[in-house]
PDB file of all heavy atoms in Angstrom:
ATOM      1  N   THR F 125      -1.279 -14.775  -1.674  1.00  0.00           N
ATOM      2  CA  THR F 125      -1.131 -15.908  -0.772  1.00  0.00           C
ATOM      3  C   THR F 125      -0.486 -15.432   0.550  1.00  0.00           C
ATOM      4  O   THR F 125       0.547 -14.739   0.540  1.00  0.00           O
ATOM      5  CB  THR F 125      -0.232 -17.076  -1.348  1.00  0.00           C
ATOM      6  OG1 THR F 125      -0.768 -17.255  -2.651  1.00  0.00           O
ATOM      7  CG2 THR F 125      -0.174 -18.269  -0.547  1.00  0.00           C
ATOM      8  N   GLY F 126      -1.069 -15.797   1.605  1.00  0.00           N
ATOM      9  CA  GLY F 126      -0.529 -15.409   2.984  1.00  0.00           C
ATOM     10  C   GLY F 126      -1.185 -14.237   3.611  1.00  0.00           C
ATOM     11  O   GLY F 126      -1.135 -14.011   4.778  1.00  0.00           O
ATOM     12  N   ALA F 127      -1.967 -13.388   2.771  1.00  0.00           N
ATOM     13  CA  ALA F 127      -2.466 -12.159   3.311  1.00  0.00           C
ATOM     14  C   ALA F 127      -3.636 -12.462   4.290  1.00  0.00           C
ATOM     15  O   ALA F 127      -3.734 -11.731   5.279  1.00  0.00           O
ATOM     16  CB  ALA F 127      -3.045 -11.291   2.126  1.00  0.00           C
ATOM     17  N   HIS F 128      -4.346 -13.530   4.084  1.00  0.00           N
ATOM     18  CA  HIS F 128      -5.425 -13.849   4.917  1.00  0.00           C
ATOM     19  C   HIS F 128      -4.893 -14.250   6.279  1.00  0.00           C
ATOM     20  O   HIS F 128      -5.371 -13.830   7.389  1.00  0.00           O
ATOM     21  CB  HIS F 128      -6.336 -14.929   4.319  1.00  0.00           C
ATOM     22  CG  HIS F 128      -7.632 -15.109   4.980  1.00  0.00           C
ATOM     23  ND1 HIS F 128      -7.785 -15.657   6.225  1.00  0.00           N
ATOM     24  CD2 HIS F 128      -8.850 -14.675   4.664  1.00  0.00           C
ATOM     25  CE1 HIS F 128      -9.094 -15.675   6.573  1.00  0.00           C
ATOM     26  NE2 HIS F 128      -9.747 -14.996   5.623  1.00  0.00           N
ATOM     27  N   ASP F 129      -3.772 -14.966   6.318  1.00  0.00           N
ATOM     28  CA  ASP F 129      -3.124 -15.426   7.610  1.00  0.00           C
ATOM     29  C   ASP F 129      -2.646 -14.177   8.392  1.00  0.00           C
ATOM     30  O   ASP F 129      -2.745 -14.141   9.563  1.00  0.00           O
ATOM     31  CB  ASP F 129      -1.992 -16.362   7.213  1.00  0.00           C
ATOM     32  CG  ASP F 129      -2.391 -17.677   6.728  1.00  0.00           C
ATOM     33  OD1 ASP F 129      -3.590 -17.982   6.852  1.00  0.00           O
ATOM     34  OD2 ASP F 129      -1.549 -18.265   5.970  1.00  0.00           O
ATOM     35  N   VAL F 130      -2.112 -13.200   7.638  1.00  0.00           N
ATOM     36  CA  VAL F 130      -1.639 -11.975   8.235  1.00  0.00           C
ATOM     37  C   VAL F 130      -2.804 -11.267   8.966  1.00  0.00           C
ATOM     38  O   VAL F 130      -2.734 -10.947  10.158  1.00  0.00           O
ATOM     39  CB  VAL F 130      -0.916 -11.043   7.221  1.00  0.00           C
ATOM     40  CG1 VAL F 130      -0.706  -9.598   7.853  1.00  0.00           C
ATOM     41  CG2 VAL F 130       0.413 -11.625   6.717  1.00  0.00           C
ATOM     42  N   LEU F 131      -3.899 -11.125   8.245  1.00  0.00           N
ATOM     43  CA  LEU F 131      -5.021 -10.343   8.827  1.00  0.00           C
ATOM     44  C   LEU F 131      -5.639 -11.143   9.983  1.00  0.00           C
ATOM     45  O   LEU F 131      -5.984 -10.552  11.026  1.00  0.00           O
ATOM     46  CB  LEU F 131      -6.077 -10.099   7.729  1.00  0.00           C
ATOM     47  CG  LEU F 131      -5.720  -9.194   6.554  1.00  0.00           C
ATOM     48  CD1 LEU F 131      -6.833  -9.148   5.529  1.00  0.00           C
ATOM     49  CD2 LEU F 131      -5.384  -7.801   7.094  1.00  0.00           C
ATOM     50  N   SER F 132      -5.776 -12.433   9.833  1.00  0.00           N
ATOM     51  CA  SER F 132      -6.325 -13.188  10.954  1.00  0.00           C
ATOM     52  C   SER F 132      -5.403 -13.118  12.230  1.00  0.00           C
ATOM     53  O   SER F 132      -5.874 -13.066  13.343  1.00  0.00           O
ATOM     54  CB  SER F 132      -6.356 -14.685  10.525  1.00  0.00           C
ATOM     55  OG  SER F 132      -7.188 -14.803   9.401  1.00  0.00           O
ATOM     56  N   CYS F 133      -4.115 -13.125  12.016  1.00  0.00           N
ATOM     57  CA  CYS F 133      -3.194 -13.030  13.103  1.00  0.00           C
ATOM     58  C   CYS F 133      -3.282 -11.746  13.806  1.00  0.00           C
ATOM     59  O   CYS F 133      -3.273 -11.648  15.076  1.00  0.00           O
ATOM     60  CB  CYS F 133      -1.741 -13.282  12.643  1.00  0.00           C
ATOM     61  SG  CYS F 133      -0.467 -13.041  13.853  1.00  0.00           S
ATOM     62  N   LEU F 134      -3.436 -10.618  13.042  1.00  0.00           N
ATOM     63  CA  LEU F 134      -3.640  -9.294  13.612  1.00  0.00           C
ATOM     64  C   LEU F 134      -4.906  -9.314  14.492  1.00  0.00           C
ATOM     65  O   LEU F 134      -4.966  -8.741  15.525  1.00  0.00           O
ATOM     66  CB  LEU F 134      -3.633  -8.226  12.536  1.00  0.00           C
ATOM     67  CG  LEU F 134      -2.413  -7.945  11.794  1.00  0.00           C
ATOM     68  CD1 LEU F 134      -2.626  -7.156  10.452  1.00  0.00           C
ATOM     69  CD2 LEU F 134      -1.331  -7.273  12.629  1.00  0.00           C
ATOM     70  N   LYS F 135      -5.935  -9.859  13.849  1.00  0.00           N
ATOM     71  CA  LYS F 135      -7.252  -9.781  14.579  1.00  0.00           C
ATOM     72  C   LYS F 135      -7.160 -10.508  15.906  1.00  0.00           C
ATOM     73  O   LYS F 135      -7.616 -10.087  16.966  1.00  0.00           O
ATOM     74  CB  LYS F 135      -8.326 -10.473  13.621  1.00  0.00           C
ATOM     75  CG  LYS F 135      -9.783 -10.224  14.203  1.00  0.00           C
ATOM     76  CD  LYS F 135     -10.845 -10.692  13.294  1.00  0.00           C
ATOM     77  CE  LYS F 135     -12.190 -10.542  13.960  1.00  0.00           C
ATOM     78  NZ  LYS F 135     -13.278 -10.800  13.003  1.00  0.00           N
ATOM     79  N   ARG F 136      -6.554 -11.795  15.839  1.00  0.00           N
ATOM     80  CA  ARG F 136      -6.364 -12.610  17.077  1.00  0.00           C
ATOM     81  C   ARG F 136      -5.624 -11.910  18.144  1.00  0.00           C
ATOM     82  O   ARG F 136      -5.830 -12.023  19.292  1.00  0.00           O
ATOM     83  CB  ARG F 136      -5.650 -13.906  16.758  1.00  0.00           C
ATOM     84  CG  ARG F 136      -6.497 -15.019  16.239  1.00  0.00           C
ATOM     85  CD  ARG F 136      -5.779 -16.333  16.405  1.00  0.00           C
ATOM     86  NE  ARG F 136      -4.419 -16.337  15.777  1.00  0.00           N
ATOM     87  CZ  ARG F 136      -4.163 -16.473  14.424  1.00  0.00           C
ATOM     88  NH1 ARG F 136      -5.189 -16.776  13.633  1.00  0.00           N
ATOM     89  NH2 ARG F 136      -2.920 -16.424  13.952  1.00  0.00           N
ATOM     90  N   SER F 137      -4.609 -10.987  17.649  1.00  0.00           N
ATOM     91  CA  SER F 137      -3.752 -10.288  18.581  1.00  0.00           C
ATOM     92  C   SER F 137      -4.387  -9.031  19.088  1.00  0.00           C
ATOM     93  O   SER F 137      -3.727  -8.244  19.767  1.00  0.00           O
ATOM     94  CB  SER F 137      -2.450  -9.958  17.927  1.00  0.00           C
ATOM     95  OG  SER F 137      -1.905 -11.179  17.376  1.00  0.00           O
ATOM     96  N   GLY F 138      -5.637  -8.732  18.695  1.00  0.00           N
ATOM     97  CA  GLY F 138      -6.273  -7.469  19.167  1.00  0.00           C
ATOM     98  C   GLY F 138      -5.797  -6.241  18.477  1.00  0.00           C
ATOM     99  O   GLY F 138      -5.985  -5.130  19.032  1.00  0.00           O
ATOM    100  N   ILE F 139      -5.224  -6.351  17.295  1.00  0.00           N
ATOM    101  CA  ILE F 139      -4.780  -5.240  16.525  1.00  0.00           C
ATOM    102  C   ILE F 139      -5.861  -4.936  15.469  1.00  0.00           C
ATOM    103  O   ILE F 139      -6.177  -5.811  14.643  1.00  0.00           O
ATOM    104  CB  ILE F 139      -3.381  -5.469  15.900  1.00  0.00           C
ATOM    105  CG1 ILE F 139      -2.404  -5.650  17.002  1.00  0.00           C
ATOM    106  CG2 ILE F 139      -2.965  -4.290  14.969  1.00  0.00           C
ATOM    107  CD1 ILE F 139      -0.927  -6.053  16.562  1.00  0.00           C
ATOM    108  N   GLU F 140      -6.380  -3.696  15.457  1.00  0.00           N
ATOM    109  CA  GLU F 140      -7.486  -3.330  14.469  1.00  0.00           C
ATOM    110  C   GLU F 140      -6.866  -3.250  13.080  1.00  0.00           C
ATOM    111  O   GLU F 140      -5.683  -2.862  13.026  1.00  0.00           O
ATOM    112  CB  GLU F 140      -8.004  -1.938  14.856  1.00  0.00           C
ATOM    113  CG  GLU F 140      -8.801  -1.836  16.155  1.00  0.00           C
ATOM    114  CD  GLU F 140     -10.240  -2.403  15.882  1.00  0.00           C
ATOM    115  OE1 GLU F 140     -10.629  -2.806  14.729  1.00  0.00           O
ATOM    116  OE2 GLU F 140     -11.007  -2.409  16.904  1.00  0.00           O
ATOM    117  N   ARG F 141      -7.654  -3.462  12.099  1.00  0.00           N
ATOM    118  CA  ARG F 141      -7.134  -3.296  10.740  1.00  0.00           C
ATOM    119  C   ARG F 141      -7.878  -2.273  10.033  1.00  0.00           C
ATOM    120  O   ARG F 141      -9.123  -2.175  10.001  1.00  0.00           O
ATOM    121  CB  ARG F 141      -7.456  -4.683   9.898  1.00  0.00           C
ATOM    122  CG  ARG F 141      -6.572  -5.826  10.306  1.00  0.00           C
ATOM    123  CD  ARG F 141      -7.107  -6.844  11.284  1.00  0.00           C
ATOM    124  NE  ARG F 141      -8.485  -6.860  11.377  1.00  0.00           N
ATOM    125  CZ  ARG F 141      -9.254  -6.824  12.560  1.00  0.00           C
ATOM    126  NH1 ARG F 141      -8.655  -6.681  13.658  1.00  0.00           N
ATOM    127  NH2 ARG F 141     -10.555  -6.874  12.531  1.00  0.00           N
ATOM    128  N   VAL F 142      -7.165  -1.332   9.367  1.00  0.00           N
ATOM    129  CA  VAL F 142      -7.716  -0.291   8.606  1.00  0.00           C
ATOM    130  C   VAL F 142      -7.213  -0.391   7.147  1.00  0.00           C
ATOM    131  O   VAL F 142      -6.061  -0.499   6.987  1.00  0.00           O
ATOM    132  CB  VAL F 142      -7.304   1.162   9.091  1.00  0.00           C
ATOM    133  CG1 VAL F 142      -8.086   2.238   8.352  1.00  0.00           C
ATOM    134  CG2 VAL F 142      -7.525   1.231  10.572  1.00  0.00           C
ATOM    135  N   LEU F 143      -8.173  -0.444   6.190  1.00  0.00           N
ATOM    136  CA  LEU F 143      -7.811  -0.537   4.770  1.00  0.00           C
ATOM    137  C   LEU F 143      -7.416   0.798   4.181  1.00  0.00           C
ATOM    138  O   LEU F 143      -8.223   1.790   4.486  1.00  0.00           O
ATOM    139  CB  LEU F 143      -8.974  -1.133   3.946  1.00  0.00           C
ATOM    140  CG  LEU F 143      -8.695  -1.352   2.444  1.00  0.00           C
ATOM    141  CD1 LEU F 143      -7.839  -2.535   2.351  1.00  0.00           C
ATOM    142  CD2 LEU F 143     -10.099  -1.452   1.724  1.00  0.00           C
ATOM    143  N   VAL F 144      -6.254   1.042   3.602  1.00  0.00           N
ATOM    144  CA  VAL F 144      -5.883   2.239   3.169  1.00  0.00           C
ATOM    145  C   VAL F 144      -5.391   2.064   1.675  1.00  0.00           C
ATOM    146  O   VAL F 144      -4.393   1.543   1.362  1.00  0.00           O
ATOM    147  CB  VAL F 144      -4.667   2.834   3.958  1.00  0.00           C
ATOM    148  CG1 VAL F 144      -4.304   4.199   3.438  1.00  0.00           C
ATOM    149  CG2 VAL F 144      -4.980   2.933   5.429  1.00  0.00           C
ATOM    150  N   THR F 145      -6.248   2.557   0.733  1.00  0.00           N
ATOM    151  CA  THR F 145      -5.860   2.473  -0.612  1.00  0.00           C
ATOM    152  C   THR F 145      -6.326   3.674  -1.391  1.00  0.00           C
ATOM    153  O   THR F 145      -7.306   4.333  -1.193  1.00  0.00           O
ATOM    154  CB  THR F 145      -6.572   1.197  -1.211  1.00  0.00           C
ATOM    155  OG1 THR F 145      -6.390   1.202  -2.639  1.00  0.00           O
ATOM    156  CG2 THR F 145      -8.065   1.261  -1.023  1.00  0.00           C
ATOM    157  N   GLY F 146      -5.487   4.025  -2.453  1.00  0.00           N
ATOM    158  CA  GLY F 146      -5.846   5.091  -3.377  1.00  0.00           C
ATOM    159  C   GLY F 146      -6.704   4.616  -4.398  1.00  0.00           C
ATOM    160  O   GLY F 146      -7.186   5.353  -5.216  1.00  0.00           O
ATOM    161  N   SER F 147      -7.131   3.288  -4.386  1.00  0.00           N
ATOM    162  CA  SER F 147      -7.889   2.719  -5.458  1.00  0.00           C
ATOM    163  C   SER F 147      -9.334   3.087  -5.236  1.00  0.00           C
ATOM    164  O   SER F 147      -9.842   3.220  -4.133  1.00  0.00           O
ATOM    165  CB  SER F 147      -7.767   1.181  -5.378  1.00  0.00           C
ATOM    166  OG  SER F 147      -8.661   0.671  -6.315  1.00  0.00           O
ATOM    167  N   GLY F 148     -10.037   3.242  -6.381  1.00  0.00           N
ATOM    168  CA  GLY F 148     -11.465   3.499  -6.331  1.00  0.00           C
ATOM    169  C   GLY F 148     -12.175   2.436  -7.210  1.00  0.00           C
ATOM    170  O   GLY F 148     -13.286   2.496  -7.527  1.00  0.00           O
ATOM    171  N   GLN F 149     -11.412   1.287  -7.497  1.00  0.00           N
ATOM    172  CA  GLN F 149     -11.948   0.256  -8.334  1.00  0.00           C
ATOM    173  C   GLN F 149     -13.061  -0.501  -7.528  1.00  0.00           C
ATOM    174  O   GLN F 149     -12.777  -1.198  -6.621  1.00  0.00           O
ATOM    175  CB  GLN F 149     -10.827  -0.770  -8.644  1.00  0.00           C
ATOM    176  CG  GLN F 149      -9.773  -0.273  -9.587  1.00  0.00           C
ATOM    177  CD  GLN F 149     -10.312  -0.138 -11.042  1.00  0.00           C
ATOM    178  OE1 GLN F 149     -11.305  -0.688 -11.381  1.00  0.00           O
ATOM    179  NE2 GLN F 149      -9.605   0.604 -11.837  1.00  0.00           N
TER     180      GLN F 149
END
Side-chain angles (χ1 to χ4, degrees):
T125 308
H128 198 281
D129 295 338
V130 166
L131 296 177
S132 304
C133 175
L134 291 167
K135 187 174 182 176
R136 272 198 309 278
S137 308
I139 298 175
E140 290 282 0
R141 285 98 25 230
V142 187
L143 183 73
V144 182
T145 174
S147 172
Q149 291 287 344

